[in-house]
Amino acid sequence: MATVKFLNEDREISVADGSNLRFKALENRIDLYTFSGKLTNCGGYGQCGTCVVDVVSGSEHLSPRTAVEERKLKKWPGSCRLACQVIVQGSVSVVTKPKRSGQVQPAASATP
C-alpha cells in the first residue's frame, strides 16, 4: 500500500500499488479540476490536460511520463503530471490545481 498526500486539501489517502492517481483522487472526493476543467475534462483519457498535479515529493514512486504527458505539459514545470496518466507505485505528495508558473503552496490552515 502507498500513501498519497494531497497538500492543498490537507488529506492523505491509502492506495494499492499500481493504482491510477486520478481514479483514486476522485474516488476519495479530491477535486482535481478547476472550474473550466470540470466542464471540459475528457474523463481520464489524457486528451484534455485538465487533471494536472504538481508532484512535490515521491516522483520516483510514479510511472514514467507518457508521450501524452510530454505533449500536454510542454509549458508546465517538469514536476507536473497528468493524474489520469499516473500509476502510483509508492508514497507521494502532490499539489492539485497548480499554476503553470510553478508549484502552489498548500493553503494555510486557520488556527482559532
Side-chain angles (χ1 to χ4, degrees):
M1 290 293 272
T3 301
V4 179
K5 293 180 185 177
F6 294 92
L7 300 178
N8 283 344
E9 293 78 8
D10 195 27
R11 297 234 353 247
E12 188 172 305
I13 63 172
S14 293
V15 302
D17 288 347
S19 296
N20 176 272
L21 181 59
R22 177 188 177 274
F23 179 78
K24 288 300 179 180
L26 296 178
E27 184 178 74
N28 285 277
R29 299 179 189 256
I30 303 291
D31 187 12
L32 295 174
Y33 299 104
T34 61
F35 178 74
S36 62
K38 289 175 187 171
L39 300 174
T40 62
N41 81 76
C42 66
Y45 294 101
Q47 301 302 308
C48 65
T50 59
C51 62
V52 178
V53 295
D54 192 356
V55 181
V56 176
S57 67
S59 61
E60 67 275 11
H61 299 290
L62 302 177
S63 57
R65 260 189 179 209
T66 64
V68 169
E69 288 179 286
E70 292 299 335
R71 277 193 318 273
K72 294 288 181 182
L73 298 174
K74 283 182 182 175
K75 296 180 181 180
W76 290 85
S79 59
C80 288
R81 300 290 305 270
L82 294 179
C84 68
Q85 300 292 298
V86 173
I87 301 300
V88 180
Q89 300 165 333
S91 295
V92 63
S93 296
V94 300
V95 171
T96 55
K97 301 179 231 170
K99 303 285 186 215
R100 279 187 198 222
S101 60
Q103 182 179 327
V104 174
Q105 296 301 317
S109 41
T111 54

